[in-house]
């Protein structure tokens, strides 16, 4: 049994260690083509943006942005800080102007996966739930699962009002769905891949003071060995993150919880049971 598990583990490790950015696809006319949108987008960032550019994207693509585009990413697969992931999510699911008020302190570009399937729009209800777990009030108090953020009857052509107002929906569908527009004074579209799988926007009016502060190594917090250092949110961003609550209060069963956290858990589990 152990030998079989050993073989299976190595089989899965080899398969998982060869992620593919390019793949074959058949177009509507029957033509077979190579879909190269993701590499194309990362190389565009590499070749057309300053080296100190910060790219905001959902954490799934963090390693690809840093490894292929050679640019700073806001989060990646090794970001264990749930509150930070929730802050990133909050930026994406907030209404456009409120999102810009936060993003201008954190990033120079925003990258969105589009094109259907498991793109960022499909992930966005989950992103909203993660955000709401740290920033109560993103979704209504009686909706801990954020079902008000999604699609009407699972129809991707009918977003709920909350989704329709969100930044992630506008960056995903702006100019491509009727009536959906991006405020180019806040987020200017600078790149769309050949098959519309990736869109990149330049953040307008970034706060240079916040960027300089965050990039200054004197503002890093290091452990005693000075080997592990972490950055901090710039001062102008702190009013936004001060609204967060500790995720451990909600999810860690070994943590003593306050009354509000207990109420949140009750509502969450009741809503989850009702939906299943």
């Amino acid at each position: 049994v152990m030998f079989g598990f050993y073989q299976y583990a190595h089989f899965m490790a080899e398969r998982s260690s060869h992620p593919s950015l390019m793949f074959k696809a058949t177009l509507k006319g029957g033509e077979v083509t190579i879909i190269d949108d993701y590499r194309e987008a990362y190389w565009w960032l590499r070749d057309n943006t300053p080296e100190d550019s910060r790219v905001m994207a959902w954490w799934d693509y963090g390693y690809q942005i840093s490894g292929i585009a050679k640019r700073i990413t806001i989060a990646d697969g090794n970001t264990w800080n749930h509150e930070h992931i929730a802050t990133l999510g909050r930026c994406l699911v907030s209404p456009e102007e409120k999102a810009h008020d936060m993003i201008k302190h954190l990033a120079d570009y925003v990258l969105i996966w589009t094109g259907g399937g498991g793109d960022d729009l499909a992930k966005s209800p989950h992103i909203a739930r993660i955000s709401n777990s740290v920033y109560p009030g993103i979704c209504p108090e009686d909706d801990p699962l954020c079902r008000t953020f999604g699609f009407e009857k699972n129809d991707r052509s009918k977003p709920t009002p909350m989704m329709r107002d969100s930044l992630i929906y506008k960056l995903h569908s702006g100019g491509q769905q009727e009536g959906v527009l991006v405020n180019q004074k806040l987020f200017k579209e600078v790149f769309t891949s050949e098959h519309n799988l990736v869109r990149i926007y330049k953040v307008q009016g970034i706060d240079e003071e916040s960027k300089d502060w965050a990039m200054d190594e004197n503002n890093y917090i290091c452990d005693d060995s000075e080997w592990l250092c972490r950055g901090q949110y710039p001062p102008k961003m702190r009013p936004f993150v001060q609204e967060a609550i500790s995720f451990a209060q909600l999810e860690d069963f070994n943590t003593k919880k306050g009354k509000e956290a207990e109420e949140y858990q009750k509502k969450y589990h009741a809503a989850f049971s009702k939906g299943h």
Side-chain angles (χ1 to χ4, degrees):
V1 175
M2 287 301 297
F3 182 71
F5 174 78
Y6 177 84
Q7 286 184 312
Y8 179 76
H10 275 267
F11 170 74
M12 291 304 300
E14 289 182 5
R15 291 192 63 181
S16 300
S17 64
H18 297 287
S20 177
L21 286 176
M22 296 178 283
F23 54 91
K24 286 184 178 181
T26 302
L27 302 179
K28 291 182 179 180
E31 177 188 357
V32 176
T33 187
I34 298 295
I35 304 297
D36 191 24
D37 290 45
Y38 304 112
R39 181 210 55 81
E40 178 189 356
Y42 299 137
W43 279 19
W44 185 92
L45 282 170
R46 182 196 66 183
D47 297 338
N48 295 278
T49 64
E51 290 185 2
D52 66 349
S53 294
R54 305 157 299 166
V55 181
M56 176 174 286
W58 190 231
W59 66 266
D60 298 23
Y61 330 126
Y63 285 140
Q64 295 176 357
I65 292 170
S66 60
I68 302 173
K70 307 298 182 184
R71 293 297 177 263
I72 300 166
T73 183
I74 304 301
D76 58 33
N78 200 37
T79 303
W80 290 18
N81 185 331
H82 181 87
E83 286 82 357
H84 180 64
I85 296 294
T87 301
L88 166 59
R90 184 188 184 191
C91 291
L92 295 173
V93 302
S94 292
E96 190 175 16
E97 290 190 9
K98 185 173 183 179
H100 183 266
D101 287 342
M102 294 181 281
I103 295 172
K104 68 182 181 182
H105 299 294
L106 301 174
D108 302 287
Y109 294 87
V110 181
L111 181 147
I112 300 290
W113 274 26
T114 55
D119 65 10
D120 283 347
L121 198 60
K123 296 173 183 175
S124 63
H126 181 58
I127 295 174
R129 284 193 291 273
I130 292 174
S131 306
N132 193 64
S133 70
V134 171
Y135 294 99
I138 288 180
C139 299
E141 186 177 350
D142 62 350
D143 182 25
L145 295 181
C146 288
R147 290 194 169 116
T148 48
F149 191 107
F151 306 101
E152 302 286 359
K153 299 180 181 179
N154 294 320
D155 184 345
R156 280 180 66 106
S157 68
K158 297 178 180 178
T160 61
M162 187 178 176
M163 173 183 274
R164 186 172 59 246
D165 291 340
S166 69
L167 176 68
I168 197 168
Y169 181 76
K170 291 191 174 184
L171 298 188
H172 177 282
S173 303
Q176 298 181 0
Q177 293 283 344
E178 184 177 356
V180 184
L181 299 174
V182 177
N183 185 342
Q184 296 291 317
K185 293 182 179 180
L186 302 180
F187 300 95
K188 181 179 179 181
E189 185 172 7
V190 291
F191 175 83
T192 297
S193 63
E194 180 180 359
H195 298 96
N196 195 46
L197 297 185
V198 185
R199 303 180 78 176
I200 301 173
Y201 294 81
K202 189 178 191 314
V203 182
Q204 302 297 288
I206 68 165
D207 192 301
E208 294 288 355
E209 183 180 345
S210 289
K211 181 174 183 177
D212 291 343
W213 192 95
M215 301 286 279
D216 186 346
E217 294 184 3
N218 292 319
N219 296 319
Y220 292 178
I221 298 177
C222 301
D223 63 11
D224 292 337
S225 68
E226 296 190 357
W227 180 79
L228 179 63
C229 298
R230 62 181 177 86
Q232 302 184 74
Y233 294 112
K236 292 181 182 179
M237 182 64 188
R238 290 175 190 170
F240 297 102
V241 296
Q242 284 173 352
E243 299 172 12
I245 61 173
S246 171
F247 183 66
Q249 285 291 319
L250 304 177
E251 300 295 330
D252 188 345
F253 294 103
N254 296 314
T255 299
K256 185 177 180 180
K257 297 174 176 57
K259 184 177 179 180
E260 290 184 359
E262 290 181 351
E263 287 298 318
Y264 171 88
Q265 281 198 338
K266 289 179 181 178
K267 291 179 181 178
Y268 185 95
H269 290 300
F272 190 82
S273 298
K274 184 178 179 181
H276 289 71

